[in-house]
Amino acid sequence: MTFDLDMIKKVYERYPVRVAAARAAVGKPLTLSEKILYTHLWEGNASQAYERGNSYVDFAPDRVAMQDATAQMALLQFMQAGKSKVAVPSTAHADHLIQARVGAEADLQEGINKNSEVFNFLSSVCDKYGIGFWKPGAGIIHQVVLENYAFPGGMMIGTDSHTVNAGGLGMVAIGVGGADAVDVMAGMAWELKMPKLIGVKLTGKLNGWTSAKDVILKVAGILTVKGGTGCIVEYFGEGAQNLSATGKGTICNMGAEIGATTSTFGYDDSMRRYLAATGRQDVVDAADAIAEHLTGDAEVYANPEQYFDQVIEINLDELAPHLNGPFTPDLATPVSEFRAKAEANGWPLDVEWALIGSCTNSSYEDLSRAASIVEDAVAKGVKPKAILGINPGSEQVKFTAERDGFLDSFRKFQSARIFTNACGPCIGQWDREGSEKGEKNSIIHSFNRNFAKRADGNPNTHAFVASPEMVAAVAISGRLDFNPITDTLTNQNGEQIKLDEPKGLELPERGFAVDDNGYQAPSEDGSSVQVAVSPTSDRLQLLEPFEPWDGQNITGAKVLIKAFGKCTTDHISMAGPWLKYRGHLDNISNNMLIGAVNAYNMETNKVKNELTGEYGEVPAVARAYKAAGVPTIVVGDQNYGEGSSREHAAMEPRHLGVRAVLVKSFARIHETNLKKQGMLGLTFVNPEEYDKIREDDTVNFLDLDQFAPSHPLQLEFVHSDGTKDLILVNHTYNEQQIGWFKAGSALNLIAEEARNNA
Ligand code: MIC
Ligand code: SF4
């Protein structure tokens, strides 16, 4: 059965007229990204062209997806919006809260036991408001979305940065904070700055040890973690058509790691094959009727420089397997150069753990290719050196891979552990033995992110990102610098053997199968469903609206922390052990910025309380300022808030009395999250002025009472020696967003409207 087929058909029915309107408005051939954006305008048919990188545009996405770690906050907010049902098809997925420890079955049961309060809450809220719920063990949100909901030419948003994975089926799918999801579920327009467009032309065909993962590892090396900010990356060319749909998903997925708004591919045969294999021939039939609109115009792909803001070309014939890392996903190294680079940098070469899985690389094809490496090694009498952990992407993938013998192939490897169909180690849900010792070590995984401490909490774990087949090869050799293309291994008989190139199946020959996919449909009429939140719970807490702005300049503020260098959402609101508090704002606020490096002493979680002169943990110091009625600001570096969509990274500072975050530059989702929660997200006009801010400064806003679009603000930093610096800061708030700030949050405005309409 195809979910929401009627909705898909309606979207396709209006496509020809809307594309024609877009063509007339833009006045030139269209990229795929523009077709999807312009056919999803809130206003209907396009009446004007929007300026890329500048115009704010209202969109009407077709659907919403949420995962358990963000859905709690999204749905707690939705409950305040005063609606009885969601306005567009929406789903929630229980995937982030299950820890990987001993193996799938036991871990899943333990996950359910430990999180039952949260799962019951999600299940009943979904039931009440008409939201599909995918139960624990059903799979990772983005694989489940690809298998069931994604459709070419559609537009969706999701409360997870890797929502972009659905670009593998030709969607514009965008990661957002929960407050944005609330807008769409409440039937309102969703706003986004018209993205710029990066075209990536792929020629040739993958071969040998190279996989789709290497395309994005290479792109990440070229564009870096912020090179895609504000952009949609559109892939095209004969090389794109040679990739499987799930391979395209991998590439789009990790577009989040270059900060891209999303990535997408034109509708092609690989998508037809994948849709048909996942039981959606009806979507193929509907899409085929308007196929010309589901890809970019031929003129665009023939002369991409004229239509994209930037063009990159990659020849798949020449692409090499890459290992990216450590600590950042854009540090790209081709396998042949790895040894020298690792030695020069002192990266540990021995590997104890190798992990395959996460939303980016847990498809049937991924498992089949990795399994072929293991089979080959076993057949050649090679004993694996490292432990291989595997998290299949969904119950459907797991069930089918089990049936087709791939999981047994892994089991031949005595060190293999098959974990639950869930995020697991990718988000720090990993009880790795010995990690608390903090020893310097390396791991390799097929995930997308490798920020410090992310997988096992150990800051000295050097995590490297590679394709599932490379992860398998490294697991066998136990060495990061093993190059399977050139190197040999010694087998049990003392012979030197080479591993064969990976072989795999794009799709199961006998079709996908599953017993119980883990889906729970919502009640038709959920009005009588009760959603209980215990006032004494330490996991869930109903939200109190944030205070509106008093209309005055903020004065006498203190610098809570000046964060030095990389400050991702993992640094601002760590995941792993803290995921359990994602539904309880006050409790999770105790992790605020504990991973950020304090520029004044280069230590983490140690900042000066200017009221007492003593050093304390960031959340505690923030609470002390708040109790004393002293406002605070946070200062940061480039690409502040990179990584996750988690709005906790904006709500925690809001809750603990931080009024403004002043940085050199922001990652897109985080900046929007700050705005939505009624905070001031500001950037230096002159980034060097970051250096002028001192630990004991007092900060006064001089003209916040004249806050207006496109007008920089003036901040006065009064130093303890009596001198002052006047610092000019930019902001990107439009009229409506200033309204959110004034109201205390965007949600306060929605709730007010709902009360007025009641
Ligand atoms: C992640 O990969 O960091 C997460 C956990 O999936 C996040 C969402 C979250 O923090 O819950 C993301 O990528 O948005
Ligand atoms: Fe889950 Fe990891 Fe994917 Fe985030 S990146 S959704 S934690 S698998």
Side-chain angles (χ1 to χ4, degrees), residues 95-96 140-142 160 162 358-360 423 426-427 448 454:
D95 56 359
H96 279 63
I140 306 174
I141 171 169
H142 310 302
D160 189 284
H162 294 105
S358 99
C359 54
T360 177
C423 303
C426 177
I427 191 56
N448 35 36
R454 183 170 165 101

Side-chain angles (χ1 to χ4, degrees), residues 67 69-70 96 160-162 427 449 454 582 644-646:
Q67 40 87 346
T70 49
H96 279 63
D160 189 284
S161 59
H162 294 105
I427 191 56
R449 296 207 165 129
R454 183 170 165 101
R582 283 290 186 87
S644 161
S645 68
R646 62 190 75 140

Side-chain angles (χ1 to χ4, degrees), residues 732-746:
T732 59
Y733 289 69
N734 60 21
E735 214 47 87
Q736 174 178 325
Q737 295 166 344
I738 290 176
W740 302 341
F741 170 72
K742 289 184 173 162
S745 73

Side-chain angles (χ1 to χ4, degrees), residues 672-748:
T672 308
N673 286 344
L674 288 171
K675 291 179 178 177
K676 286 251 146 148
Q677 302 300 339
M679 298 266 296
L680 291 168
L682 309 170
T683 52
F684 292 96
V685 169
N686 300 313
E688 328 67 82
E689 292 193 311
Y690 168 95
D691 297 330
K692 289 189 179 163
I693 299 178
R694 303 187 198 162
E695 191 171 28
D696 52 2
D697 280 352
T698 300
V699 191
N700 301 316
F701 282 74
L702 301 185
D703 52 4
L704 186 61
D705 49 359
Q706 289 152 52
F707 193 15
S710 314
H711 284 283
L713 292 168
Q714 294 180 27
L715 268 66
E716 177 185 72
F717 286 78
V718 185
H719 310 307
S720 55
D721 60 8
T723 59
K724 286 181 191 175
D725 273 303
L726 187 69
I727 294 185
L728 210 55
V729 303
N730 281 326
H731 69 83
T732 59
Y733 289 69
N734 60 21
E735 214 47 87
Q736 174 178 325
Q737 295 166 344
I738 290 176
W740 302 341
F741 170 72
K742 289 184 173 162
S745 73
L747 184 61
N748 285 355

Side-chain angles (χ1 to χ4, degrees), residues 17-244:
V17 173
R18 292 219 178 163
V19 170
R23 221 183 274 293
V26 175
K28 53 180 181 176
L30 298 173
T31 59
L32 168 64
S33 308
E34 287 165 303
K35 289 183 191 179
I36 302 178
L37 293 169
Y38 278 98
T39 54
H40 287 84
L41 294 178
W42 181 255
E43 63 185 89
N45 290 342
S47 56
Q48 55 167 310
Y50 292 98
E51 196 190 332
R52 295 181 196 166
N54 209 8
S55 315
Y56 277 105
V57 186
D58 280 344
F59 290 102
D62 302 318
R63 58 179 316 123
V64 173
M66 295 161 279
Q67 40 87 346
D68 50 2
T70 49
Q72 298 171 60
M73 211 38 103
L75 292 170
L76 284 165
Q77 293 179 79
F78 183 73
M79 285 164 67
Q80 289 193 359
K83 305 281 169 183
S84 58
K85 216 177 169 109
V86 288
V88 302
S90 305
T91 52
H93 304 255
D95 56 359
H96 279 63
L97 298 178
I98 303 155
Q99 202 182 41
R101 206 166 62 88
V102 282
E105 241 166 80
D107 293 352
L108 176 59
Q109 195 48 55
E110 195 174 320
I112 293 174
N113 297 347
K114 275 200 194 147
N115 299 291
S116 61
E117 183 186 3
V118 168
F119 292 148
N120 290 340
F121 166 75
L122 290 176
S123 159
S124 59
V125 186
C126 288
D127 195 19
K128 184 170 183 68
Y129 295 109
I131 302 168
F133 181 53
W134 290 80
K135 293 183 276 190
I140 306 174
I141 171 169
H142 310 302
Q143 284 294 327
V144 174
V145 165
L146 201 69
E147 282 173 9
N148 296 280
Y149 298 112
F151 64 100
M155 181 183 212
M156 70 179 280
I157 58 164
T159 60
D160 189 284
S161 59
H162 294 105
T163 304
V164 294
N165 190 69
L169 272 182
M171 286 196 109
V172 160
I174 301 179
V176 298
D180 284 46
V182 171
D183 288 350
V184 176
M185 293 191 293
M188 295 167 24
W190 174 69
E191 188 190 66
L192 177 75
K193 200 182 263 179
M194 194 66 171
K196 292 192 171 194
L197 302 178
I198 299 176
V200 180
K201 180 173 180 180
L202 300 178
T203 57
K205 199 168 186 240
L206 295 175
N207 57 75
W209 280 87
T210 311
S211 111
K213 181 74 153 200
D214 299 304
V215 176
I216 187 63
L217 293 181
K218 169 97 187 166
V219 170
I222 297 171
L223 286 175
T224 78
V225 287
K226 56 184 174 47
T229 308
C231 300
I232 296 185
V233 184
E234 182 169 326
Y235 292 84
F236 61 95
E238 131 236 12
Q241 303 199 357
N242 289 334
L243 296 164
S244 65

Side-chain angles (χ1 to χ4, degrees), residues 116-425:
S116 61
E117 183 186 3
V118 168
F119 292 148
N120 290 340
F121 166 75
L122 290 176
S123 159
S124 59
V125 186
C126 288
D127 195 19
K128 184 170 183 68
Y129 295 109
I131 302 168
F133 181 53
W134 290 80
K135 293 183 276 190
I140 306 174
I141 171 169
H142 310 302
Q143 284 294 327
V144 174
V145 165
L146 201 69
E147 282 173 9
N148 296 280
Y149 298 112
F151 64 100
M155 181 183 212
M156 70 179 280
I157 58 164
T159 60
D160 189 284
S161 59
H162 294 105
T163 304
V164 294
N165 190 69
L169 272 182
M171 286 196 109
V172 160
I174 301 179
V176 298
D180 284 46
V182 171
D183 288 350
V184 176
M185 293 191 293
M188 295 167 24
W190 174 69
E191 188 190 66
L192 177 75
K193 200 182 263 179
M194 194 66 171
K196 292 192 171 194
L197 302 178
I198 299 176
V200 180
K201 180 173 180 180
L202 300 178
T203 57
K205 199 168 186 240
L206 295 175
N207 57 75
W209 280 87
T210 311
S211 111
K213 181 74 153 200
D214 299 304
V215 176
I216 187 63
L217 293 181
K218 169 97 187 166
V219 170
I222 297 171
L223 286 175
T224 78
V225 287
K226 56 184 174 47
T229 308
C231 300
I232 296 185
V233 184
E234 182 169 326
Y235 292 84
F236 61 95
E238 131 236 12
Q241 303 199 357
N242 289 334
L243 296 164
S244 65
T246 49
K248 292 180 167 86
T250 298
I251 294 171
C252 293
N253 181 297
M254 267 195 78
E257 273 54 67
I258 53 167
T261 302
T262 191
S263 309
T264 194
F265 282 84
Y267 180 51
D268 66 9
D269 280 340
S270 73
M271 299 186 193
R272 289 187 180 90
R273 291 193 296 273
Y274 184 76
L275 284 165
T278 49
R280 290 173 289 169
Q281 183 59 42
D282 39 18
V283 177
V284 176
D285 296 340
D288 280 344
I290 58 153
E292 65 186 290
H293 301 309
L294 299 178
T295 189
D297 287 344
E299 296 91 321
V300 169
Y301 293 156
N303 298 296
E305 291 76 16
Q306 291 175 23
Y307 302 95
F308 291 98
D309 299 288
Q310 182 181 351
V311 178
I312 293 170
E313 192 167 329
I314 295 176
N315 183 348
L316 303 185
D317 289 333
E318 292 164 6
L319 185 66
H322 279 66
L323 279 79
N324 284 25
F327 307 122
T328 184
D330 57 351
L331 187 54
T333 311
V335 57
S336 57
E337 295 164 26
F338 191 82
R339 184 169 305 152
K341 197 156 158 185
E343 278 166 2
N345 287 286
W347 301 333
L349 286 170
D350 286 330
V351 170
E352 190 195 341
W353 269 94
L355 300 148
I356 293 176
S358 99
C359 54
T360 177
N361 270 118
S362 53
S363 67
Y364 181 86
E365 183 180 35
D366 290 331
L367 296 189
S368 74
R369 286 176 65 88
S372 80
I373 306 298
V374 174
E375 278 288 346
D376 185 46
V378 172
K380 291 175 177 158
V382 183
K383 262 186 96 97
K385 297 265 178 28
I387 311 172
L388 182 62
I390 293 158
N391 284 85
S394 70
E395 180 58 18
Q396 174 159 282
V397 163
K398 188 196 105 192
F399 193 95
T400 313
E402 186 73 89
R403 181 199 65 192
D404 296 349
F406 297 132
L407 297 189
D408 277 337
S409 303
F410 291 123
R411 289 189 191 105
K412 287 185 189 160
F413 228 39
Q414 264 143 26
S415 63
R417 310 239 180 111
I418 315 279
F419 295 126
T420 316
N421 317 316
C423 303

